[in-house]
Amino acid sequence: MSLRGQIIAITGASSGLGQHLAEQAASQGMHLSIMARNHSKLHVLAKKIGGDVLVFSGDVTSEDDCKKFINATIDKFGSIDHLITNAGQSMWTNFDEIEQVDLFRKLMDVNFMGVVNCIHPALDTLKKTSGQVVVISSIQSKFGVPAHSAYSASKHAVEGLIDSLRFELQSSKINFMIVYPHWIRGTEMRQNALGSNGEKIGNQKRNHNKSSVSAEDCARNIIDALPKRRKSLFIPGKLKYLPALKLLLPPVFRWLIRSKIKSQK
Ligand SMILES: NC(=O)c1ccc[n+]([C@@H]2O[C@H](COP(=O)([O-])OP(=O)(O)OC[C@H]3O[C@@H](n4cnc5c(N)ncnc54)[C@H](OP(=O)(O)O)[C@@H]3O)[C@@H](O)[C@H]2O)c1
């Protein structure tokens, strides 16, 4: 099925994965609506892409901003076929090093409420188009990992939300696809991650391990999966075995996760 002419709304499009998703959606001939807080970065992207892109500056933690984003998209294009909730923020600090637990509130606000805030006002239009919600989650929605307690918890919360919505909206023909990427290269996630004092940790050099995936490849996988209306997408595919490993061989699972996190510190 061709994506040409379909309408896609993407949050967190000012950098990283979201930016690549926007570029690749546009290259498929989709009508594009993009949101993030950084107005100038969105405009640079829209100019690069060309054509009639809706640029909306807003914060996903604001219910009002998300409503306006969805309504502006419908006003401009008539409806929405695909909503990608991609905006997100991470952390790099152990729980007992966190100075104020407000860090949890901040990450829940972006990674969980940001998803709720965007899906809720989009439901009516998605019901009419039999559209789909694509949630950019993380393999950390399946298990927690060291130094990421609040991030893992926020992604678990999204998993629970989508499970419930699948039941409640079974007859609506809205598809919910959850994307579980590995570490992604070429994004600003690391520098935007919150440290023990609740502030962004800023630029830190690190070498991604070989199993990480580039933002461009990750975006290509996701855009390719849109017409297939999948329920889940693990990138790379072998990640889907990790939850089973946790159940079947817990000591091996824990050793693997500890060594992966150590290699990223
Ligand atoms: N990088 C990885 O290794 C990795 C792995 C698995 C999953 N993911 C997931 O992939 C998604 C994209 O992350 P990324 O790696 O591309 O990181 P990124 O380069 O830091 O991009 C994050 C995007 O989210 C936006 N954003 C953050 N807070 C926001 C807010 N309150 N309101 C609106 N937009 C907000 C940022 O834009 P503004 O700052 O302009 O608002 C930016 O466009 C996230 O959901 C992340 O959890 C990433």
Side-chain angles (χ1 to χ4, degrees):
M1 201 216 310
S2 167
L3 294 170
R4 183 161 294 280
Q6 295 196 358
I7 299 136
I8 186 165
I10 306 173
T11 66
S14 63
S15 69
L17 178 61
Q19 186 181 329
H20 286 280
L21 285 167
E23 288 178 12
Q24 293 188 28
S27 75
Q28 296 282 327
M30 301 181 85
H31 297 300
L32 195 61
S33 176
I34 51 178
M35 177 195 189
R37 291 165 303 182
N38 192 316
H39 189 71
S40 52
K41 277 188 178 179
L42 287 181
H43 271 284
V44 169
L45 174 64
K47 210 169 161 200
K48 184 178 173 198
I49 288 172
D52 203 9
V53 178
L54 174 74
V55 170
F56 188 95
S57 325
D59 189 326
V60 293
T61 68
S62 156
E63 184 180 356
D64 195 44
D65 280 3
C66 294
K67 261 189 204 156
K68 286 180 178 153
F69 168 57
I70 297 299
N71 288 338
T73 308
I74 297 168
D75 285 347
K76 185 172 176 65
F77 298 116
S79 61
I80 297 174
D81 297 299
H82 308 269
L83 167 64
I84 305 194
T85 61
N86 166 74
Q89 190 167 20
S90 188
M91 65 184 284
W92 267 98
T93 179
N94 284 347
F95 186 72
D96 62 3
E97 292 164 348
I98 292 171
E99 289 167 18
Q100 289 183 330
V101 292
D102 187 51
L103 181 149
F104 270 68
R105 226 164 267 119
K106 285 183 185 165
L107 292 193
M108 285 301 287
D109 254 1
V110 180
N111 297 338
F112 176 63
M113 286 311 299
V115 174
V116 174
N117 287 339
C118 288
I119 294 178
H120 193 260
L123 278 183
D124 280 346
T125 188
L126 289 169
K127 282 178 186 169
K128 285 181 196 143
T129 58
S130 298
Q132 73 177 327
V133 176
V134 178
V135 179
I136 308 302
S137 186
S138 158
I139 193 61
Q140 291 185 46
S141 71
K142 300 287 189 190
F143 46 79
V145 308
H148 287 77
S149 51
Y151 179 75
S152 298
S154 67
K155 295 290 188 183
H156 273 68
V158 171
E159 186 91 2
L161 166 76
I162 300 302
D163 276 348
S164 294
L165 296 190
R166 282 183 178 137
F167 279 115
E168 293 176 15
L169 296 161
Q170 204 170 2
S171 60
S172 73
K173 299 209 176 76
I174 298 176
N175 184 54
F176 291 92
M177 173 160 77
I178 306 185
V179 181
Y180 306 95
H182 200 317
W183 303 115
I184 307 173
R185 295 190 301 276
T187 83
E188 295 179 10
M189 180 116 290
R190 174 80 166 206
Q191 69 195 59
N192 290 330
L194 302 181
S196 55
N197 61 1
E199 300 297 327
K200 292 181 181 179
I201 60 177
N203 268 324
Q204 287 190 5
K205 202 170 163 43
R206 86 176 148 155
N207 295 319
H208 274 289
N209 59 35
K210 275 186 264 161
S211 46
S212 66
V213 48
S214 75
E216 197 176 351
D217 286 348
C218 190
R220 191 170 306 111
N221 272 277
I222 295 165
I223 298 295
D224 285 352
L226 292 181
K228 298 173 189 149
R229 295 173 68 85
R230 297 175 58 150
K231 300 285 174 227
S232 58
L233 180 65
F234 292 83
I235 305 172
K238 65 181 179 188
L239 274 194
K240 66 172 170 277
Y241 300 114
L242 276 177
L245 186 68
K246 182 187 175 193
L247 276 179
L248 297 174
L249 293 168
V252 177
F253 168 80
R254 280 199 296 277
W255 168 82
L256 185 70
I257 297 300
R258 247 189 248 116
S259 62
K260 291 279 179 202
I261 290 291
K262 213 168 153 194
S263 74
Q264 295 297 310
K265 270 194 170 176

